[in-house]
Amino acid sequence: MGCAPSIHVSQSGVIYCRDSDESNSPHQTTTISQGTAATLHGLFIKTDAADSIPSVLTYQGRYPPAARSGSRKGRREQGQHSCIEAETQTSHTSVKVSSTELWLGPMRLTQDPIQVLLVFAKEDSQSDGFWWACDRAGYKCNIARTPETALECFLDKHHEIIVIDHRHSRYLDAEAVCRSIRATKPSEHTTILAIVPRVASDQEEMSVLPLLNVGFNRRFVENGSMIACYNELIQIEHGEVRSQFKLRSCNSIFTALDNCQEAIEITSEDHVIQYVNPAFERMMGYHKEELIGKELTELTKSDKNRADLLDTINTCIKKGKEWQGIYFARRKSGDSIQQNVKVTPVIGQGGKIRHFVSMKKLCNSNDNNKQIYKINREDNPLAESHSFRLKNRRKESVDVRSITSRSSDAPSLQNHRYSSMARIHTMTIEAPITKVINIINAAQENSPVTVAEALDRVLEILRTTELYSPQLGTKEEDPHTNDLVGGLMTDGLRRLSGNEYVFSKNMHHSHSHLSVPITINDVPVPPRIAELLEDEGSWDFNIFELEAVTSKRPLVYLGLKLFACFGVCEYLNCTEATLRSWLQLIEANYHASNSYHNSTHAADVLHATAFFLQQENVKGSLDQLDKVAALIAATVHDVDHPGRTNSFLCNASSELAVLYNDTAVLESHHAALAFQLTAKDNKCNIFKNMDRTQYRTLRQAIIDMVLATEMTRHFEHVNKFVNSINKPIAAEDSNSNSEGSDFECSTNIRNSPENRILIKRMMIKCADVANPCRPLNLCIEWAGRISEEYFAQTDEEKRQGLPVVMPVFDRNSCSIPKSQISFIDYFITDMFDAWDAFAHLPNLILHLTENYKYWKSLDELKCKSLRCSSD
């Protein structure tokens, strides 16, 4: 054993065994505390303190593996030169053990060293093998000799792995030990391994089911090799133990959910309720036992929702998209309550939706507050007084005088925050956001605690600078989406490496030599052009045919037709000749050399804008000035476009980027140049006869719409439209009881000056990027043109040594279908869903759906071009 004949027993029953040859070494002492007997692998020790030595030992260091091949005597001799320490109850291992870092989704976990309990009635090569395996793996190890001590030790240590000797039933009833341990709560996350005897080659292999039924997790056929034991333990650690550790950590998540103020409901992919938290129980009046296992369809529905609302929600979430909106739910008592609901699909194994998580908050209305107050009072008689105390505490914290009167006390952060808010109420200069914050703070004063806390979160959001920019998630790790976002929604500065770049000479803009228009005589429109223009009222109008028959001058002819339809000349008080000259001038300043941003694109956007203006909801929301401004803005929105993105111009330090401070460079240039060109020549000045006030109003509307086409504010415009127009109209539609009141409320929402601005912005944005919603043949042509323009930009960036803004648009490797899919997913779908909800354009959505399927089919066939060879 490594200790010589010198054995000492203290009065407390502790045995000290000291090596006589190396008595000065402090590491040569083995301590055994309080027990009846112990077998220390080769040395059986008996003491007079017979009732006080336990049969559970924790070994810290033992014989090296090489010693196991020799006799007991040889092992004792080799053990004399090793550091040996054994003590009960505590562990001070000589092996350096470090914790393991694991991740459960975004949650970082730290696992302590594994604890192993060996249950062997007697020592043999198998117990030695597992002992040395634990030593090598850095695990903490205990050995128990009896069922009683095994259970006692497990309840004290909560081991992750238990190894039970199942070979000799006459010494140890392994199954009884396993059942007794499994009967305890801590064993829920423990892996129990059964050591079974070898089976002779002529005998049939036994089934593991009896072991599993008893409570064992695994079976190990006896093998005294330390490496075999080590491999088994390591596999258990990396498999069952780590999985159980992660499952055990889920308790913290459920604790958070149980204490969350928001009502949480988790269902399966088939909408079977799997979990509800206490806040949900309080809100809905059910106990969780009444809900778990039920399908949502079994619960009573409120009749205040739109008939198609559930279908809308299901359609959205089954696509893997999050749905958020107002929903009326029926409580157990039969009352209907209005909730703000967010349903999030959870993707699981196989990339399929496995769960739906619903977060529900009561909408802030007096009826709802009364109902929830009544619920809490019924469920908890102390809730009323508790709520009263919390409200008083909140009121006191807002009262500056009460705070200063308690100045001797250390002020809390909450008190400090509310005192600051109280001072805001006295400010004489108030910005709109300040007024909003003041209103919210005032509303907090008399609100229930849950509402006040929700308003706190609202205030935190309002204080951020980027209120409308989305938070990019893992979806945007797709390189096509990343490059589109980088190329269309940034100024290029994030990609700069600190070097100075000189913009190519051919990209400099000098307006002293403006393009001269080609004069079109005042003669009848050629028959072929007139025939094509007869179809201009259709969404399927083929702009490329008009481009061909007009020798790439479609803007003048289409502009004359559409401006006449909307009475633009009459409104501007100008002649048709002036309008024609102006259209010729504007078209001449589009670059025909650009594959995409040319006058054909301008004519296409003008056509889409005119089409939208003919829709009933749009027509009823805008006045004549709005319509004229929209048509002019569509005409000039990309004038003098260089065929390069804003990011390119900023990276190249172009004159335009310097002039406009790297902010909305092209859009600012288009708007400014349009008015410069118009004012430069009196015969082209369509505004010359307008009243000054009317002109300034019209000019501001045109500028606002052109600037709205800048993509860095894309999500701001879309979200404002949804929140200010879509949602209020939907709420009015669901709440109205009569057709007349519904129409009146919706009209008031649409016709407010602020909302008319949002409608015009949304309209020109949709017209500007409507290519994916055109018929397939037009969609394919536009995709080829924009891709060619991006390819040309990438080529020039490489030639000039500029940062490559959109690396995936390399003409040698780019997949056009993938780029179209990313563009539709990220920019188009949500925007056109919102626009369709307002303007009612089912034909566009149908085209968008079919075109998306087309690009997906090409992508699945690994085609990178516009068409596959089989097409």
Side-chain angles (χ1 to χ4, degrees):
M1 168 168 175
C3 35
S6 177
I7 298 177
H8 307 277
V9 182
S10 70
Q11 292 180 351
S12 61
V14 178
I15 304 170
Y16 297 95
C17 175
R18 185 175 299 280
D19 192 308
S20 59
D21 296 332
E22 298 184 21
S23 59
N24 293 329
S25 173
H27 301 293
Q28 291 304 118
T29 300
T30 299
T31 305
I32 309 170
S33 302
Q34 313 231 333
T36 55
T39 304
L40 291 182
H41 288 259
L43 178 63
F44 187 81
I45 302 172
K46 198 111 174 141
T47 75
D48 294 335
D51 297 329
S52 58
I53 300 178
S55 52
V56 179
L57 301 176
T58 304
Y59 296 99
Q60 305 304 329
R62 295 182 41 157
Y63 311 111
R68 298 172 61 247
S69 61
S71 64
R72 295 280 179 178
K73 180 179 178 182
R75 288 168 61 183
R76 283 196 298 272
E77 290 172 354
Q78 291 189 29
Q80 290 176 359
H81 304 288
S82 62
C83 296
I84 302 173
E85 182 181 5
E87 70 183 56
T88 59
Q89 305 306 319
T90 60
S91 176
H92 305 290
T93 181
S94 60
V95 180
K96 200 163 188 177
V97 179
S98 60
S99 299
T100 303
E101 182 181 290
L102 301 174
W103 289 88
L104 177 63
M107 185 177 178
R108 180 181 179 273
L109 309 173
T110 302
Q111 185 176 24
D112 291 332
I114 305 297
Q115 295 190 95
V116 180
L117 174 61
L118 305 180
V119 184
F120 286 81
K122 63 176 185 175
E123 173 196 356
D124 62 5
S125 61
Q126 189 65 74
S127 63
D128 279 355
F130 273 105
W131 162 258
W132 284 112
C134 292
D135 189 67
R136 175 171 177 172
Y139 300 160
K140 297 180 179 180
C141 184
N142 298 86
I143 298 181
R145 300 298 184 197
T146 67
E148 294 77 13
T149 53
L151 181 59
E152 181 182 355
C153 185
F154 171 71
L155 291 174
D156 179 46
K157 302 289 186 182
H158 295 180
H159 305 82
E160 286 82 10
I161 302 174
I162 301 177
V163 182
I164 302 178
D165 187 3
H166 197 287
R167 297 168 298 166
H168 312 294
S169 59
R170 65 180 181 274
Y171 299 127
L172 184 71
D173 187 346
E175 294 187 2
V177 174
C178 181
R179 278 193 294 266
S180 67
I181 291 174
R182 281 293 181 216
T184 66
K185 180 66 176 174
S187 70
E188 180 183 0
H189 301 291
T190 297
T191 300
I192 304 181
L193 177 69
I195 310 297
V196 299
R198 291 181 181 277
V199 178
S201 57
D202 59 342
Q203 292 182 342
E204 187 177 352
E205 183 78 17
M206 299 294 291
S207 170
V208 298
L209 279 176
L211 295 176
L212 296 176
N213 291 334
V214 168
F216 289 102
N217 299 97
R218 292 171 69 100
R219 181 191 67 173
F220 180 82
V221 178
E222 64 176 323
N223 186 341
S225 166
M226 186 269 287
I227 291 299
C229 298
Y230 174 79
N231 289 341
E232 180 70 15
L233 292 177
I234 290 298
Q235 289 180 75
I236 293 175
E237 178 193 355
H238 286 263
E240 288 93 330
V241 171
R242 290 192 178 178
S243 297
Q244 291 291 347
F245 179 69
K246 291 180 181 180
L247 284 174
R248 193 162 62 245
S249 301
C250 290
N251 291 333
S252 62
I253 299 173
F254 282 111
T255 300
L257 290 174
D258 286 347
N259 290 279
C260 179
Q261 297 298 322
E262 293 182 355
I264 307 293
E265 175 188 64
I266 302 176
T267 67
S268 68
E269 67 270 30
D270 298 322
H271 304 294
V272 175
I273 300 174
Q274 299 172 315
Y275 168 84
V276 294
N277 69 342
F280 186 95
E281 294 179 88
R282 291 192 297 271
M283 179 185 289
M284 300 303 298
Y286 289 96
H287 292 291
K288 62 182 179 182
E289 292 80 9
E290 301 174 85
L291 297 172
I292 304 298
K294 281 192 174 183
E295 293 187 18
L296 291 179
T297 54
E298 297 180 49
L299 302 182
T300 309
K301 302 292 185 295
S302 172
D303 54 3
K304 292 188 177 183
N305 295 305
R306 294 198 321 264
D308 63 340
L309 181 58
L310 284 177
D311 291 336
T312 302
I313 296 172
N314 284 328
T315 301
C316 178
I317 61 179
K318 283 181 179 178
K319 292 179 181 178
K321 293 184 177 182
E322 185 178 89
W323 182 88
Q324 184 169 0
I326 302 299
Y327 182 81
F328 285 91
R330 189 180 294 279
R331 297 187 65 247
K332 183 179 179 181
S333 62
D335 300 329
S336 287
I337 54 175
Q338 191 178 27
Q339 300 171 326
N340 194 329
V341 179
K342 180 162 68 172
V343 185
T344 304
V346 179
I347 308 298
Q349 186 177 8
K352 297 181 179 179
I353 296 172
R354 300 297 181 181
H355 307 276
F356 295 105
V357 177
S358 301
M359 288 164 280
K360 306 181 180 186
K361 294 185 289 185
L362 284 175
C363 293
N364 191 14
S365 70
N366 291 334
D367 290 342
N368 284 335
N369 286 341
K370 289 175 183 176
Q371 286 184 27
I372 199 67
Y373 174 68
K374 183 180 177 183
I375 296 167
N376 289 334
R377 240 186 357 175
E378 291 172 351
D379 291 346
N380 181 7
L382 297 177
E384 183 176 359
S385 59
H386 178 65
S387 175
F388 179 74
R389 288 197 300 272
L390 286 174
K391 279 197 218 174
N392 283 347
R393 200 177 306 144
R394 192 163 61 250
K395 284 183 180 178
E396 289 170 3
S397 64
V398 181
D399 189 341
V400 179
R401 288 171 298 180
S402 66
I403 292 173
T404 54
S405 67
R406 296 193 302 268
S407 59
S408 58
D409 299 329
S412 66
L413 290 176
Q414 187 79 347
N415 287 346
H416 176 72
R417 187 182 69 76
Y418 278 114
S419 65
S420 299
M421 290 300 163
R423 288 195 296 274
I424 288 178
H425 287 282
T426 65
M427 293 174 62
T428 56
I429 302 175
E430 285 190 323
I433 189 63
T434 309
K435 293 180 180 179
V436 170
I437 292 174
N438 288 344
I439 293 169
I440 292 173
N441 274 281
Q444 281 183 308
E445 294 311 304
N446 297 311
S447 299
V449 177
T450 53
V451 175
E453 290 174 351
L455 292 176
D456 271 336
R457 291 195 292 275
V458 171
L459 290 172
E460 289 174 11
I461 294 170
L462 288 177
R463 293 187 185 101
T464 63
T465 56
E466 297 296 333
L467 292 177
Y468 291 95
S469 297
Q471 305 261 331
L472 300 188
T474 56
K475 161 176 108 168
E476 283 67 43
E477 291 174 3
D478 167 55
H480 290 81
T481 303
N482 268 336
D483 285 0
L484 284 168
V485 173
L488 300 177
M489 296 190 65
T490 68
D491 54 15
L493 297 178
R494 297 176 195 172
R495 298 178 181 268
L496 285 177
S497 59
N499 299 323
E500 295 288 335
Y501 297 106
V502 180
F503 198 47
S504 60
K505 293 180 181 178
N506 65 337
M507 297 299 291
H508 283 176
H509 295 272
S510 174
H511 307 307
S512 59
H513 302 286
L514 297 172
S515 300
V516 178
I518 301 172
T519 303
I520 299 176
N521 295 325
D522 192 6
V523 296
V525 176
R528 176 60 181 146
I529 297 176
E531 181 184 348
L532 283 175
L533 290 176
E534 287 179 3
D535 196 32
E536 52 79 24
S538 167
W539 178 253
D540 297 347
F541 177 72
N542 193 327
I543 196 69
F544 299 115
E545 291 185 2
L546 185 63
E547 177 192 58
V549 299
T550 59
S551 302
K552 296 189 176 182
R553 289 180 293 162
L555 186 58
V556 171
Y557 290 101
L558 183 63
L560 285 170
K561 176 74 181 289
L562 293 177
F563 278 44
C565 291
F566 284 89
V568 174
C569 288
E570 291 81 1
Y571 183 82
L572 298 176
N573 193 24
C574 71
T575 64
E576 186 178 340
T578 303
L579 176 62
R580 183 184 298 107
S581 297
W582 180 80
L583 285 169
Q584 292 168 6
L585 178 64
I586 295 299
E587 184 158 41
N589 280 276
Y590 276 93
H591 298 192
S593 58
N594 291 343
S595 59
Y596 181 86
H597 287 100
N598 49 40
S599 67
T600 304
H601 167 65
D604 184 64
V605 175
L606 175 60
H607 173 264
T609 302
F611 181 84
F612 294 153
L613 287 172
Q614 294 285 9
Q615 307 310 304
E616 286 301 321
N617 267 6
V618 181
K619 187 191 304 184
S621 303
L622 305 178
D623 60 21
Q624 184 63 8
L625 183 145
D626 294 323
K627 296 171 185 175
V628 172
L631 294 170
I632 295 174
T635 303
V636 305
H637 84 282
D638 270 337
V639 66
D640 198 36
H641 196 294
R644 301 291 182 264
T645 64
N646 279 334
S647 297
F648 181 96
L649 301 182
C650 295
N651 286 341
S653 300
S654 71
E655 288 181 357
L656 288 178
V658 173
L659 177 64
Y660 293 110
N661 300 314
D662 294 341
T663 303
V665 175
L666 284 172
E667 293 72 25
S668 299
H669 173 60
H670 303 321
L673 180 61
F675 284 98
Q676 289 174 6
L677 292 171
T678 304
K680 194 173 185 67
D681 189 345
N682 198 51
K683 71 175 184 179
C684 302
N685 190 347
I686 56 176
F687 307 124
K688 60 186 177 184
N689 296 324
M690 291 189 72
D691 172 79
R692 179 184 297 274
T693 302
Q694 189 181 36
Y695 165 70
R696 290 188 62 81
T697 305
L698 179 67
R699 169 177 155 80
Q700 188 56 50
I702 295 168
I703 294 171
D704 184 81
M705 292 183 72
V706 173
L707 293 180
T709 63
E710 192 224 353
M711 293 301 288
T712 60
R713 298 180 64 188
H714 171 80
F715 293 101
E716 176 182 344
H717 295 316
V718 173
N719 280 301
K720 281 184 176 179
F721 184 85
V722 169
N723 290 316
S724 299
I725 296 175
N726 286 144
K727 288 184 178 180
I729 290 178
E732 288 293 343
D733 288 345
S734 62
N735 291 336
S736 62
N737 296 319
S738 65
E739 187 176 344
S741 62
D742 173 36
F743 178 78
E744 183 180 351
C745 292
S746 298
T747 302
N748 290 338
I749 293 170
R750 294 196 307 265
N751 291 349
S752 71
E754 297 82 4
N755 287 350
R756 278 165 42 208
I757 292 174
L758 298 181
I759 292 169
K760 287 184 291 183
R761 289 174 181 171
M762 191 70 161
M763 178 171 60
I764 197 168
K765 281 181 62 61
C766 289
D768 190 27
V769 292
N771 309 334
C773 300
R774 293 287 190 181
L776 181 60
N777 60 320
L778 306 183
C779 173
I780 292 173
E781 177 65 23
W782 283 122
R785 292 189 177 201
I786 190 62
S787 297
E788 176 55 39
E789 197 164 287
Y790 287 161
F791 293 158
Q793 174 171 311
T794 300
D795 293 342
E796 183 166 358
E797 286 167 335
K798 291 178 178 178
R799 283 196 305 271
Q800 295 192 38
L802 295 172
V804 178
V805 173
M806 294 183 284
V808 295
F809 283 97
D810 185 313
R811 65 176 71 250
N812 298 317
S813 59
C814 179
S815 168
I816 295 178
K818 282 187 183 296
S819 69
Q820 287 296 302
I821 290 167
S822 296
F823 183 66
I824 292 171
D825 280 340
Y826 196 78
F827 292 105
I828 298 299
T829 302
D830 290 342
M831 181 171 72
F832 271 89
D833 281 345
W835 184 237
D836 173 55
F838 173 75
H840 306 308
L841 303 163
N843 194 34
L844 276 70
I845 303 303
L846 180 62
H847 282 316
L848 176 61
T849 303
E850 294 301 319
N851 295 343
Y852 187 79
K853 289 179 181 177
Y854 173 78
W855 296 122
K856 290 288 282 187
S857 66
L858 289 190
D859 184 45
E860 289 168 1
L861 293 171
K862 308 299 182 186
C863 296
K864 293 187 176 182
S865 58
L866 296 170
R867 295 179 176 87
C868 274
S869 55
S870 60
D871 289 350

